Amino acid sequence: MELLNIIVLLGLGLTVISVLSLIIERLFFPSILAFIAIGVAVGFFWDGNEVFKVAGEIGIILLFFLLGLKFPLTELVKRMKQVWKAGVLDIVLAFGVTIGIALLFGLDFPQAFLIGAVLYATSSSISAKLLERNSDKHEDIKEFVLALLIFEDIFAPLILTVAPFIIQDEPIAFSDIGKVFVGFLVFGVLLFVGSRFVTKQPKIAKHMLRQDDASIGLIGLILFFAGIGMIFGLSEILGAFIAGIMLAGIHDVRPLKRLTVPVRDLFLPIFFISFGISINLEQGVIINTLFFVLIVWGVLSKWIVGRVGGRLFGLTRVQANEAGFSLAPRGEFSILFTALSNGAINLFVGLYIFVSAIIGIVLFRFSESLAAKTEQTLKRVLPEETDRKPDQTDKGD
C-alpha cells in the first residue's frame, strides 16, 4: 500500500510539474522558473533527500554533456580565439569587480567570493533556449552570445574547483593542487584520444550507437567522466562537458541527442526543484541595499561585456547593446555554487538567482528595442565615441 501511494504521488507530481511548465512556457518564460517556484513551495513541507539531490545532479551533468556536444574541439578553439577578449572582460567585471563590491559592503572574503561566482556565469540553459525561440535575432549576435557562454562554461568549472577551499575555508594542501593538476592531465589525454578515435573510427562509433542498449552505455560513459572530475577535485560538470566535446567529433550527433535528451528532460527539473527547496523562506527574506546594488550591477556588468566585447567581436553598436541585454539571466552554474554555502548567505544568493533570472528573461525579450534606445541615449551623451567609426554604424542594424 505504501508503494502504491508513492507511485500515485510520483505520477501526480510529474503531471503537475508538466502542466505548470506548459503554462510558464505559454507565457514565453523558460520552465526553469516554474521548477524553482515549485521547489520553494515544496520546501515548506519537505527538505528533500540525498537520492533526490543525486537525481538532480544527473540532470545537470547531462545538460553540460549536451552543451559540449555542440562544439567539436576544432570549432571550440576557433570560438575561443574569437571571444577571449570579451571573456577576460567578463571575468574582470562580473567576477572580480563583484567581489570588490561585496567587500566594500562589509562581507568577508569567502562570502564575497561566493557572490562573485554567483554573478559571473550567465545561464546557458536559459539563454540557449531563449536564442532558439527568437529566430529573428541577428545571427552575429547569436554567434557572439553562444561563444561567450562557452567561454563561461569553460572558466566557471575552474572557479567551482577552487571554490570549496575559499568558501568553506578548507586548508589547501600541496597534494590537493597536485591532484587537480593530474585531473586536468587525465582529461587532456582522454579528450585527445577519444576525439581521435571517434574521428578516425566513425563506423565503430555509429555501430555502438545503433545498439538497443546504447543509452545505458552512453549515459554510463558521461557519468564516468563526471566521476573522474569529482575524484580529482574538479567539477563533475567539467567532466561531462569534456565528454560532450570528445563525442562532438562524430559526424552526426543526432543519435547521441536522441539517447540523452529524454533522460535529461526527466532529471533536470529535479535539479531546479531541489534548488528551490533550498530557498527556505521561513528564515526570513533578506533584501537590503547590497541586494539591489547587485541586481543593478549584475545587469550593468553584462551589458558592458556585451557592448565592449561585442564591438571587439565585430558587432555593430546596436548589435553589441542587444547582446549585452541578452546576457543577464543567471541559472545553473550560480545554483551549483550555492551548494557550497549555508545559512543567511545561501538564502540571499538564492533569491538573487531567482530574481536575476526573471529580470534577465524580461531584458532578453525586449533586448532589440532596449538596444536601439540605449544607442540613441549614448549618441546624446557620448557623441564623439559613437561617431568615431561611422562606416560601421549601419552594418547589420
Side-chain angles (χ1 to χ4, degrees), residues 53-63 219 223 263 267-268:
K53 291 179 180 178
V54 170
E57 287 185 11
I58 292 174
I60 199 71
I61 286 170
L62 294 177
L63 171 65
I219 293 174
L223 295 179
V263 184
F267 285 102
L268 187 59

Side-chain angles (χ1 to χ4, degrees), residues 94-106:
F95 181 57
V97 174
T98 301
I99 292 176
I101 292 173
L103 291 173
L104 287 175
F105 273 84

Side-chain angles (χ1 to χ4, degrees), residues 16-38 129 133 354 358 361 365:
V16 170
I17 291 171
S18 177
V19 171
L20 290 176
S21 173
L22 180 61
I23 294 173
I24 291 292
E25 293 276 354
R26 289 287 184 180
L27 297 174
F28 298 99
F29 282 91
S31 56
I32 290 173
L33 296 179
F35 300 146
I36 296 175
I38 291 170
K129 185 169 289 189
R133 290 179 178 178
F354 187 67
I358 296 174
I361 292 166
R365 290 187 61 185

Side-chain angles (χ1 to χ4, degrees), residues 68-83 143 146-147 150 154 245 248-249 313:
L69 197 62
K70 294 180 179 180
F71 301 99
L73 190 56
T74 53
E75 177 68 17
L76 183 66
V77 172
K78 176 185 174 183
R79 286 179 178 264
M80 291 304 97
K81 289 180 179 179
Q82 293 175 330
V83 83
E143 186 177 348
L146 286 174
I150 292 300
I154 293 174
I245 296 172
F313 186 80

